[in-house]
Short mmCIF file of all heavy atoms in Angstrom, two decimals:
data_model
loop_
_atom_site.label_atom_id
_atom_site.label_comp_id
_atom_site.label_asym_id
_atom_site.label_seq_id
_atom_site.Cartn_x
_atom_site.Cartn_y
_atom_site.Cartn_z
N MET A 1 -14.24 18.93 -5.92
CA MET A 1 -13.56 17.66 -5.65
C MET A 1 -12.67 17.71 -4.42
O MET A 1 -11.98 18.79 -4.25
CB MET A 1 -12.66 17.24 -6.86
CG MET A 1 -13.39 17.01 -8.12
SD MET A 1 -13.83 15.31 -8.45
CE MET A 1 -12.30 14.67 -9.04
N ALA A 2 -12.70 16.74 -3.63
CA ALA A 2 -11.79 16.77 -2.47
C ALA A 2 -11.52 15.28 -2.03
O ALA A 2 -12.30 14.44 -2.33
CB ALA A 2 -12.58 17.43 -1.35
N ILE A 3 -10.35 15.12 -1.49
CA ILE A 3 -9.96 13.87 -0.92
C ILE A 3 -10.69 13.59 0.34
O ILE A 3 -10.75 14.40 1.27
CB ILE A 3 -8.41 13.80 -0.71
CG1 ILE A 3 -7.63 13.82 -1.96
CG2 ILE A 3 -7.95 12.75 0.26
CD1 ILE A 3 -7.75 12.51 -2.69
N LYS A 4 -11.12 12.36 0.44
CA LYS A 4 -11.79 11.92 1.70
C LYS A 4 -11.16 10.65 2.10
O LYS A 4 -10.97 9.67 1.39
CB LYS A 4 -13.32 11.73 1.41
CG LYS A 4 -14.09 11.71 2.68
CD LYS A 4 -15.52 11.74 2.38
CE LYS A 4 -16.35 11.25 3.54
NZ LYS A 4 -17.68 10.79 3.27
N ILE A 5 -10.79 10.63 3.39
CA ILE A 5 -10.18 9.40 3.91
C ILE A 5 -11.10 8.75 4.97
O ILE A 5 -11.59 9.39 5.86
CB ILE A 5 -8.82 9.76 4.71
CG1 ILE A 5 -7.85 10.41 3.71
CG2 ILE A 5 -8.20 8.48 5.31
CD1 ILE A 5 -6.64 10.99 4.39
N ASP A 6 -11.36 7.52 4.71
CA ASP A 6 -12.27 6.73 5.62
C ASP A 6 -11.37 6.10 6.66
O ASP A 6 -10.70 5.10 6.43
CB ASP A 6 -12.96 5.61 4.75
CG ASP A 6 -13.99 4.85 5.65
OD1 ASP A 6 -13.77 4.82 6.92
OD2 ASP A 6 -14.89 4.31 5.14
N TYR A 7 -11.40 6.71 7.84
CA TYR A 7 -10.40 6.23 8.90
C TYR A 7 -10.84 4.90 9.49
O TYR A 7 -9.99 4.28 10.19
CB TYR A 7 -10.34 7.34 9.95
CG TYR A 7 -9.63 8.53 9.50
CD1 TYR A 7 -10.20 9.79 9.29
CD2 TYR A 7 -8.25 8.48 9.19
CE1 TYR A 7 -9.59 10.88 8.77
CE2 TYR A 7 -7.58 9.60 8.70
CZ TYR A 7 -8.20 10.75 8.49
OH TYR A 7 -7.53 11.88 8.02
N LYS A 8 -11.99 4.47 9.23
CA LYS A 8 -12.41 3.07 9.69
C LYS A 8 -11.70 2.06 8.77
O LYS A 8 -11.19 1.03 9.27
CB LYS A 8 -13.88 2.90 9.59
CG LYS A 8 -14.64 3.60 10.74
CD LYS A 8 -16.13 3.16 10.69
CE LYS A 8 -16.82 4.05 11.74
NZ LYS A 8 -18.24 4.30 11.36
N LYS A 9 -11.53 2.37 7.44
CA LYS A 9 -10.90 1.44 6.56
C LYS A 9 -9.39 1.55 6.57
O LYS A 9 -8.59 0.56 6.33
CB LYS A 9 -11.39 1.72 5.18
CG LYS A 9 -12.82 1.29 4.93
CD LYS A 9 -13.17 1.45 3.46
CE LYS A 9 -14.66 1.10 3.26
NZ LYS A 9 -15.06 1.43 1.83
N CYS A 10 -8.87 2.75 6.85
CA CYS A 10 -7.39 3.00 6.78
C CYS A 10 -6.74 2.26 7.91
O CYS A 10 -7.12 2.19 9.03
CB CYS A 10 -7.13 4.48 7.01
SG CYS A 10 -5.38 4.85 7.01
N CYS A 11 -5.63 1.50 7.44
CA CYS A 11 -4.87 0.64 8.43
C CYS A 11 -4.05 1.49 9.35
O CYS A 11 -3.57 0.94 10.33
CB CYS A 11 -4.11 -0.36 7.70
SG CYS A 11 -2.74 0.42 6.73
N TRP A 12 -3.72 2.74 9.00
CA TRP A 12 -2.79 3.51 9.83
C TRP A 12 -3.52 4.13 11.07
O TRP A 12 -4.31 5.05 10.86
CB TRP A 12 -2.14 4.60 8.89
CG TRP A 12 -0.93 5.27 9.56
CD1 TRP A 12 -0.94 6.47 10.21
CD2 TRP A 12 0.34 4.69 9.66
NE1 TRP A 12 0.32 6.67 10.65
CE2 TRP A 12 1.17 5.67 10.34
CE3 TRP A 12 0.93 3.48 9.21
CZ2 TRP A 12 2.50 5.43 10.61
CZ3 TRP A 12 2.24 3.32 9.54
CH2 TRP A 12 3.03 4.26 10.17
N LYS A 13 -3.31 3.57 12.12
CA LYS A 13 -3.98 4.07 13.37
C LYS A 13 -2.99 4.30 14.53
O LYS A 13 -2.03 3.46 14.70
CB LYS A 13 -4.99 2.99 13.82
CG LYS A 13 -6.10 2.77 12.76
CD LYS A 13 -7.15 1.76 13.25
CE LYS A 13 -7.98 1.21 12.15
NZ LYS A 13 -8.67 2.23 11.29
N ASP A 14 -3.09 5.45 15.23
CA ASP A 14 -2.29 5.73 16.33
C ASP A 14 -0.80 5.69 15.94
O ASP A 14 0.04 5.19 16.69
CB ASP A 14 -2.54 4.86 17.58
CG ASP A 14 -3.92 4.99 18.02
OD1 ASP A 14 -4.48 6.11 17.95
OD2 ASP A 14 -4.57 4.01 18.43
N GLY A 15 -0.46 6.16 14.76
CA GLY A 15 0.92 6.31 14.31
C GLY A 15 1.56 4.99 13.90
O GLY A 15 2.74 4.86 13.73
N LYS A 16 0.78 3.89 13.66
CA LYS A 16 1.37 2.66 13.12
C LYS A 16 0.35 1.93 12.33
O LYS A 16 -0.86 2.20 12.45
CB LYS A 16 1.92 1.90 14.30
CG LYS A 16 0.96 1.44 15.37
CD LYS A 16 1.78 0.78 16.45
CE LYS A 16 0.88 -0.05 17.45
NZ LYS A 16 0.12 0.80 18.34
N CYS A 17 0.86 0.96 11.56
CA CYS A 17 0.02 0.13 10.77
C CYS A 17 -0.66 -0.91 11.55
O CYS A 17 0.01 -1.66 12.32
CB CYS A 17 0.78 -0.45 9.59
SG CYS A 17 -0.15 -1.60 8.57
N SER A 18 -1.94 -1.07 11.47
CA SER A 18 -2.66 -2.08 12.24
C SER A 18 -3.00 -3.31 11.43
O SER A 18 -3.79 -4.20 11.85
CB SER A 18 -3.92 -1.41 12.82
OG SER A 18 -4.78 -1.06 11.75
N SER A 19 -2.52 -3.35 10.21
CA SER A 19 -2.81 -4.47 9.27
C SER A 19 -1.75 -5.45 9.15
O SER A 19 -0.63 -5.13 9.34
CB SER A 19 -3.14 -3.85 7.86
OG SER A 19 -3.26 -4.86 6.93
N SER A 20 -2.16 -6.72 8.93
CA SER A 20 -1.13 -7.73 8.65
C SER A 20 -1.07 -8.01 7.13
O SER A 20 -0.38 -8.93 6.76
CB SER A 20 -1.57 -9.02 9.33
OG SER A 20 -2.84 -9.42 8.94
N SER A 21 -1.74 -7.20 6.25
CA SER A 21 -1.83 -7.42 4.87
C SER A 21 -1.09 -6.34 4.10
O SER A 21 -1.39 -6.23 2.86
CB SER A 21 -3.26 -7.59 4.44
OG SER A 21 -4.00 -6.49 4.62
N CYS A 22 -0.24 -5.57 4.62
CA CYS A 22 0.40 -4.45 3.95
C CYS A 22 1.85 -4.79 3.62
O CYS A 22 2.67 -3.91 3.54
CB CYS A 22 0.37 -3.23 4.78
SG CYS A 22 -1.35 -2.52 4.86
N GLY A 23 2.26 -6.00 3.28
CA GLY A 23 3.49 -6.31 2.96
C GLY A 23 4.42 -6.53 4.20
O GLY A 23 4.40 -7.65 4.74
N CYS A 24 5.08 -5.46 4.64
CA CYS A 24 6.00 -5.68 5.84
C CYS A 24 5.21 -5.78 7.12
O CYS A 24 5.73 -6.18 8.06
CB CYS A 24 7.00 -4.57 5.85
SG CYS A 24 6.33 -2.99 6.37
N GLY A 25 3.94 -5.35 7.09
CA GLY A 25 3.20 -5.44 8.29
C GLY A 25 3.43 -4.32 9.28
O GLY A 25 2.87 -4.30 10.35
N LYS A 26 4.35 -3.44 8.92
CA LYS A 26 4.78 -2.30 9.90
C LYS A 26 4.32 -0.99 9.31
O LYS A 26 4.07 -0.12 10.07
CB LYS A 26 6.27 -2.35 10.18
CG LYS A 26 6.66 -3.58 10.96
CD LYS A 26 8.10 -3.43 11.45
CE LYS A 26 8.41 -4.64 12.36
NZ LYS A 26 9.68 -5.18 12.08
N ALA A 27 4.36 -0.85 8.01
CA ALA A 27 4.01 0.43 7.40
C ALA A 27 3.25 0.15 6.14
O ALA A 27 3.54 -0.67 5.33
CB ALA A 27 5.33 1.22 7.05
N CYS A 28 2.16 0.86 5.97
CA CYS A 28 1.34 0.77 4.79
C CYS A 28 2.05 1.56 3.69
O CYS A 28 2.24 2.74 3.75
CB CYS A 28 0.01 1.43 4.97
SG CYS A 28 -1.03 1.44 3.58
N ILE A 29 2.56 0.86 2.67
CA ILE A 29 3.19 1.44 1.51
C ILE A 29 2.02 1.71 0.54
O ILE A 29 1.50 0.89 -0.06
CB ILE A 29 4.21 0.53 0.83
CG1 ILE A 29 5.21 0.10 1.86
CG2 ILE A 29 4.92 1.28 -0.33
CD1 ILE A 29 6.02 1.07 2.61
N GLY A 30 1.68 2.99 0.44
CA GLY A 30 0.51 3.25 -0.34
C GLY A 30 0.37 4.73 -0.75
O GLY A 30 1.15 5.32 -1.45
N CYS A 31 -0.71 5.28 -0.16
CA CYS A 31 -1.02 6.64 -0.53
C CYS A 31 0.03 7.66 -0.40
O CYS A 31 0.26 8.52 -1.26
CB CYS A 31 -2.28 7.06 0.33
SG CYS A 31 -1.99 7.10 2.06
N VAL A 32 0.82 7.70 0.71
CA VAL A 32 1.81 8.66 1.00
C VAL A 32 2.89 8.62 -0.09
O VAL A 32 3.27 9.60 -0.61
CB VAL A 32 2.39 8.54 2.42
CG1 VAL A 32 3.58 9.45 2.66
CG2 VAL A 32 1.29 8.80 3.43
N GLU A 33 3.30 7.34 -0.39
CA GLU A 33 4.41 7.15 -1.42
C GLU A 33 3.84 7.48 -2.78
O GLU A 33 4.68 7.87 -3.71
CB GLU A 33 4.87 5.74 -1.31
CG GLU A 33 5.58 5.39 -0.05
CD GLU A 33 4.73 5.29 1.19
OE1 GLU A 33 3.51 5.09 1.04
OE2 GLU A 33 5.30 5.41 2.27
N ALA A 34 2.63 7.30 -3.08
CA ALA A 34 2.09 7.51 -4.44
C ALA A 34 1.86 8.95 -4.73
O ALA A 34 1.89 9.35 -5.89
CB ALA A 34 0.73 6.80 -4.55
N CYS A 35 1.71 9.83 -3.75
CA CYS A 35 1.33 11.19 -4.01
C CYS A 35 2.48 11.96 -4.63
O CYS A 35 3.58 12.01 -4.02
CB CYS A 35 0.88 11.88 -2.70
SG CYS A 35 0.43 13.61 -2.94
N PRO A 36 2.33 12.59 -5.80
CA PRO A 36 3.39 13.21 -6.49
C PRO A 36 3.76 14.60 -6.00
O PRO A 36 4.78 15.13 -6.30
CB PRO A 36 2.86 13.30 -7.97
CG PRO A 36 1.40 13.36 -7.82
CD PRO A 36 1.04 12.48 -6.60
N VAL A 37 2.99 15.08 -5.12
CA VAL A 37 3.19 16.47 -4.58
C VAL A 37 3.36 16.49 -3.02
O VAL A 37 3.38 17.60 -2.48
CB VAL A 37 2.06 17.45 -5.00
CG1 VAL A 37 2.06 17.61 -6.53
CG2 VAL A 37 0.69 17.00 -4.52
N GLY A 38 3.41 15.34 -2.38
CA GLY A 38 3.66 15.32 -0.99
C GLY A 38 2.50 15.85 -0.15
O GLY A 38 2.75 16.44 0.85
N ALA A 39 1.30 15.64 -0.69
CA ALA A 39 0.16 16.20 0.09
C ALA A 39 -0.29 15.36 1.26
O ALA A 39 -1.14 15.77 2.05
CB ALA A 39 -1.02 16.40 -0.91
N LEU A 40 0.16 14.09 1.35
CA LEU A 40 -0.27 13.20 2.37
C LEU A 40 0.87 12.86 3.28
O LEU A 40 2.01 12.74 2.91
CB LEU A 40 -0.71 11.88 1.68
CG LEU A 40 -2.04 11.96 0.96
CD1 LEU A 40 -2.12 10.77 -0.03
CD2 LEU A 40 -3.30 12.00 1.77
N SER A 41 0.53 12.78 4.57
CA SER A 41 1.56 12.33 5.49
C SER A 41 0.93 11.53 6.56
O SER A 41 -0.30 11.57 6.86
CB SER A 41 2.27 13.55 6.13
OG SER A 41 1.27 14.46 6.63
N ARG A 42 1.71 10.63 7.21
CA ARG A 42 1.22 9.79 8.31
C ARG A 42 1.71 10.37 9.60
O ARG A 42 2.83 10.45 9.91
CB ARG A 42 1.87 8.31 8.18
CG ARG A 42 1.34 7.57 6.97
CD ARG A 42 1.88 6.10 6.95
NE ARG A 42 1.44 5.53 5.63
CZ ARG A 42 2.17 5.51 4.64
NH1 ARG A 42 3.46 6.03 4.64
NH2 ARG A 42 1.81 4.98 3.46
N LYS A 43 0.77 10.85 10.32
CA LYS A 43 1.00 11.34 11.71
C LYS A 43 0.33 10.32 12.57
O LYS A 43 0.54 9.09 12.37
CB LYS A 43 0.27 12.72 11.83
CG LYS A 43 0.82 13.70 10.88
CD LYS A 43 2.28 14.12 11.03
CE LYS A 43 2.68 15.18 10.04
NZ LYS A 43 4.13 15.42 10.00
N SER A 44 -0.47 10.66 13.58
CA SER A 44 -1.17 9.67 14.33
C SER A 44 -2.22 9.04 13.41
O SER A 44 -2.54 7.83 13.56
CB SER A 44 -1.80 10.23 15.58
OG SER A 44 -2.91 11.03 15.30
N LYS A 45 -2.70 9.78 12.42
CA LYS A 45 -3.53 9.19 11.35
C LYS A 45 -3.04 9.88 10.05
O LYS A 45 -2.22 10.80 10.14
CB LYS A 45 -4.96 9.50 11.59
CG LYS A 45 -5.39 10.90 11.73
CD LYS A 45 -6.89 11.05 12.04
CE LYS A 45 -7.30 12.52 11.97
NZ LYS A 45 -8.66 12.70 12.20
N VAL A 46 -3.51 9.33 8.98
CA VAL A 46 -3.13 9.93 7.66
C VAL A 46 -3.77 11.31 7.50
O VAL A 46 -5.10 11.33 7.63
CB VAL A 46 -3.46 8.97 6.49
CG1 VAL A 46 -3.14 9.61 5.19
CG2 VAL A 46 -2.67 7.69 6.64
N ILE A 47 -3.08 12.29 7.10
CA ILE A 47 -3.71 13.57 6.90
C ILE A 47 -3.35 14.09 5.51
O ILE A 47 -2.29 13.75 4.91
CB ILE A 47 -3.32 14.61 7.94
CG1 ILE A 47 -1.77 14.75 7.99
CG2 ILE A 47 -3.88 14.27 9.31
CD1 ILE A 47 -1.35 15.99 8.80
N VAL A 48 -4.24 14.85 4.97
CA VAL A 48 -4.03 15.42 3.63
C VAL A 48 -4.01 16.94 3.71
O VAL A 48 -4.78 17.59 4.46
CB VAL A 48 -5.14 14.96 2.64
CG1 VAL A 48 -6.57 15.40 3.15
CG2 VAL A 48 -4.94 15.54 1.21
N ASP A 49 -2.99 17.49 3.05
CA ASP A 49 -2.85 18.96 2.88
C ASP A 49 -3.71 19.38 1.66
O ASP A 49 -3.16 19.22 0.50
CB ASP A 49 -1.45 19.31 2.79
CG ASP A 49 -1.26 20.89 2.73
OD1 ASP A 49 -2.23 21.60 2.28
OD2 ASP A 49 -0.19 21.33 3.07
N ALA A 50 -4.90 19.80 1.82
CA ALA A 50 -5.77 20.16 0.76
C ALA A 50 -5.20 21.24 -0.16
O ALA A 50 -5.51 21.23 -1.40
CB ALA A 50 -7.13 20.59 1.22
N GLU A 51 -4.32 22.04 0.38
CA GLU A 51 -3.75 23.09 -0.56
C GLU A 51 -2.77 22.61 -1.48
O GLU A 51 -2.49 23.14 -2.54
CB GLU A 51 -3.23 24.21 0.38
CG GLU A 51 -4.26 25.05 1.05
CD GLU A 51 -3.76 26.19 1.78
OE1 GLU A 51 -2.60 26.54 1.73
OE2 GLU A 51 -4.61 26.81 2.50
N LYS A 52 -2.10 21.48 -1.09
CA LYS A 52 -1.10 20.86 -1.97
C LYS A 52 -1.77 19.90 -3.03
O LYS A 52 -1.18 19.62 -4.06
CB LYS A 52 -0.12 20.09 -1.21
CG LYS A 52 0.98 20.91 -0.47
CD LYS A 52 2.02 19.97 0.11
CE LYS A 52 3.01 20.74 0.91
NZ LYS A 52 3.92 19.80 1.74
N CYS A 53 -2.83 19.31 -2.69
CA CYS A 53 -3.45 18.26 -3.49
C CYS A 53 -3.85 18.73 -4.81
O CYS A 53 -4.54 19.84 -4.91
CB CYS A 53 -4.61 17.71 -2.78
SG CYS A 53 -5.58 16.45 -3.64
N ILE A 54 -3.45 18.04 -5.89
CA ILE A 54 -3.83 18.39 -7.27
C ILE A 54 -4.91 17.55 -7.87
O ILE A 54 -5.19 17.45 -8.98
CB ILE A 54 -2.57 18.40 -8.21
CG1 ILE A 54 -1.90 17.05 -8.18
CG2 ILE A 54 -1.65 19.50 -7.81
CD1 ILE A 54 -0.81 16.84 -9.25
N GLU A 55 -5.49 16.66 -6.91
CA GLU A 55 -6.61 15.85 -7.30
C GLU A 55 -6.40 14.87 -8.40
O GLU A 55 -7.13 14.70 -9.28
CB GLU A 55 -7.91 16.68 -7.55
CG GLU A 55 -8.22 17.52 -6.34
CD GLU A 55 -9.45 18.40 -6.60
OE1 GLU A 55 -9.90 18.56 -7.75
OE2 GLU A 55 -9.91 18.98 -5.65
N CYS A 56 -5.10 14.29 -8.36
CA CYS A 56 -4.69 13.34 -9.42
C CYS A 56 -5.25 11.98 -9.31
O CYS A 56 -5.34 11.22 -10.29
CB CYS A 56 -3.16 13.29 -9.49
SG CYS A 56 -2.45 12.46 -8.05
N GLY A 57 -5.69 11.65 -8.06
CA GLY A 57 -6.26 10.23 -7.88
C GLY A 57 -5.28 9.16 -7.61
O GLY A 57 -5.62 8.02 -7.45
N ALA A 58 -3.97 9.48 -7.60
CA ALA A 58 -2.98 8.44 -7.41
C ALA A 58 -3.12 7.73 -6.08
O ALA A 58 -2.92 6.52 -5.93
CB ALA A 58 -1.56 9.00 -7.55
N CYS A 59 -3.41 8.48 -5.04
CA CYS A 59 -3.56 7.87 -3.72
C CYS A 59 -4.77 6.79 -3.68
O CYS A 59 -4.77 5.84 -2.99
CB CYS A 59 -3.76 8.93 -2.64
SG CYS A 59 -5.08 10.08 -2.94
N VAL A 60 -5.81 7.24 -4.39
CA VAL A 60 -7.03 6.38 -4.48
C VAL A 60 -6.64 5.08 -5.06
O VAL A 60 -7.04 3.98 -4.55
CB VAL A 60 -8.16 7.09 -5.31
CG1 VAL A 60 -9.37 6.18 -5.41
CG2 VAL A 60 -8.50 8.39 -4.62
N GLU A 61 -5.85 5.14 -6.12
CA GLU A 61 -5.44 3.88 -6.76
C GLU A 61 -4.44 3.09 -5.86
O GLU A 61 -4.48 1.79 -5.90
CB GLU A 61 -4.66 4.15 -8.11
CG GLU A 61 -5.54 4.81 -9.15
CD GLU A 61 -6.51 3.87 -9.69
OE1 GLU A 61 -6.13 2.64 -9.92
OE2 GLU A 61 -7.72 4.24 -9.88
N ALA A 62 -3.65 3.76 -5.16
CA ALA A 62 -2.61 3.05 -4.36
C ALA A 62 -3.10 2.44 -3.12
O ALA A 62 -2.49 1.51 -2.54
CB ALA A 62 -1.51 4.05 -4.07
N CYS A 63 -4.24 2.88 -2.56
CA CYS A 63 -4.64 2.38 -1.28
C CYS A 63 -5.31 1.01 -1.38
O CYS A 63 -6.28 0.71 -2.01
CB CYS A 63 -5.76 3.33 -0.66
SG CYS A 63 -6.27 2.77 0.95
N LYS A 64 -4.61 0.03 -0.68
CA LYS A 64 -5.02 -1.31 -0.77
C LYS A 64 -6.28 -1.56 0.02
O LYS A 64 -6.99 -2.63 -0.13
CB LYS A 64 -3.90 -2.26 -0.17
CG LYS A 64 -2.57 -2.15 -0.79
CD LYS A 64 -1.61 -2.98 -0.01
CE LYS A 64 -0.08 -2.46 -0.15
NZ LYS A 64 0.10 -1.20 0.48
N HIS A 65 -6.57 -0.68 0.91
CA HIS A 65 -7.77 -0.80 1.77
C HIS A 65 -8.97 -0.06 1.32
O HIS A 65 -9.92 0.02 2.07
CB HIS A 65 -7.34 -0.46 3.21
CG HIS A 65 -6.28 -1.40 3.77
ND1 HIS A 65 -6.52 -2.61 4.31
CD2 HIS A 65 -4.97 -1.21 3.81
CE1 HIS A 65 -5.39 -3.19 4.73
NE2 HIS A 65 -4.46 -2.34 4.44
N HIS A 66 -8.88 0.52 0.14
CA HIS A 66 -9.94 1.38 -0.43
C HIS A 66 -10.46 2.36 0.61
O HIS A 66 -11.69 2.56 0.73
CB HIS A 66 -11.13 0.47 -0.84
CG HIS A 66 -10.61 -0.69 -1.74
ND1 HIS A 66 -10.23 -0.43 -3.02
CD2 HIS A 66 -10.46 -2.01 -1.50
CE1 HIS A 66 -9.81 -1.57 -3.57
NE2 HIS A 66 -9.99 -2.56 -2.69
N ALA A 67 -9.53 3.05 1.22
CA ALA A 67 -9.81 4.03 2.29
C ALA A 67 -9.87 5.47 1.72
O ALA A 67 -10.34 6.34 2.52
CB ALA A 67 -8.79 3.95 3.45
N ILE A 68 -9.46 5.68 0.54
CA ILE A 68 -9.44 7.04 0.06
C ILE A 68 -10.36 7.17 -1.15
O ILE A 68 -10.39 6.32 -2.06
CB ILE A 68 -8.03 7.42 -0.38
CG1 ILE A 68 -7.04 7.17 0.74
CG2 ILE A 68 -8.01 8.94 -0.75
CD1 ILE A 68 -5.69 7.81 0.51
N SER A 69 -11.08 8.27 -1.14
CA SER A 69 -11.96 8.59 -2.29
C SER A 69 -11.77 10.01 -2.71
O SER A 69 -11.39 10.86 -1.95
CB SER A 69 -13.37 8.16 -2.04
OG SER A 69 -13.86 8.94 -0.83
N LEU A 70 -12.10 10.27 -3.93
CA LEU A 70 -12.04 11.62 -4.50
C LEU A 70 -13.48 11.98 -4.99
O LEU A 70 -13.98 11.31 -5.88
CB LEU A 70 -11.05 11.56 -5.60
CG LEU A 70 -10.45 12.89 -6.21
CD1 LEU A 70 -9.85 13.76 -5.16
CD2 LEU A 70 -9.49 12.61 -7.34
N SER A 71 -14.06 12.90 -4.31
CA SER A 71 -15.45 13.23 -4.86
C SER A 71 -15.73 14.70 -4.63
O SER A 71 -15.00 15.43 -3.90
CB SER A 71 -16.43 12.46 -4.08
OG SER A 71 -16.33 12.61 -2.68
S1 SF4 B 101 -5.23 13.00 -5.29
FE1 SF4 B 101 -3.07 13.06 -5.93
S2 SF4 B 101 -2.23 15.00 -5.17
FE2 SF4 B 101 -4.11 14.59 -4.00
S3 SF4 B 101 -3.47 13.58 -2.13
FE3 SF4 B 101 -4.03 12.02 -3.63
S4 SF4 B 101 -2.14 11.45 -4.70
FE4 SF4 B 101 -1.77 13.42 -3.65
S1 SF4 B 102 -2.77 3.57 1.64
FE1 SF4 B 102 -4.85 3.51 2.48
S2 SF4 B 102 -4.71 2.22 4.25
FE2 SF4 B 102 -2.62 2.89 3.67
S3 SF4 B 102 -2.16 4.66 4.92
FE3 SF4 B 102 -3.05 5.36 2.99
S4 SF4 B 102 -5.21 5.56 3.32
FE4 SF4 B 102 -4.44 4.24 4.90
#
């Protein structure tokens, strides 16, 4: 099992939110905040630290853009 991020669907591009449907419109409140072990971070794009990930699926549930999958 591994986390996969679909960067076409993810709103976080070039270090900022490109969506108008994420609440404040400036930051996607979702996967990063949902992760209980701090395995996700927003850099120029969202990255996952596979060594920290415990494959709980919380980020998959939290993503409003259905950009994360666990398979
Ligand atoms: S599956 Fe869980 S531990 Fe892994 S990145 Fe997503 S929220 Fe974090
Ligand atoms: S919650 Fe989804 S859309 Fe938002 S930053 Fe995370 S992967 Fe991208």
Side-chain angles (χ1 to χ4, degrees):
M1 297 264 281
I3 286 291
K4 196 171 162 198
I5 301 172
D6 183 337
Y7 290 110
K8 285 187 186 150
K9 290 183 181 173
C10 177
C11 66
W12 193 258
K13 300 185 194 303
D14 298 325
K16 58 185 194 290
C17 179
S18 63
S19 171
S20 57
S21 61
C22 288
C24 72
K26 291 188 177 136
C28 177
I29 308 298
C31 61
V32 173
E33 292 71 23
C35 181
V37 294
L40 291 161
S41 53
R42 292 185 187 94
K43 305 294 185 188
S44 72
K45 61 182 184 178
V46 176
I47 56 168
V48 58
D49 182 337
E51 289 187 7
K52 283 190 187 169
C53 177
I54 56 171
E55 300 178 351
C56 69
C59 57
V60 178
E61 293 293 317
C63 180
K64 302 174 206 69
H65 298 277
H66 308 291
I68 307 187
S69 57
L70 193 57
S71 59

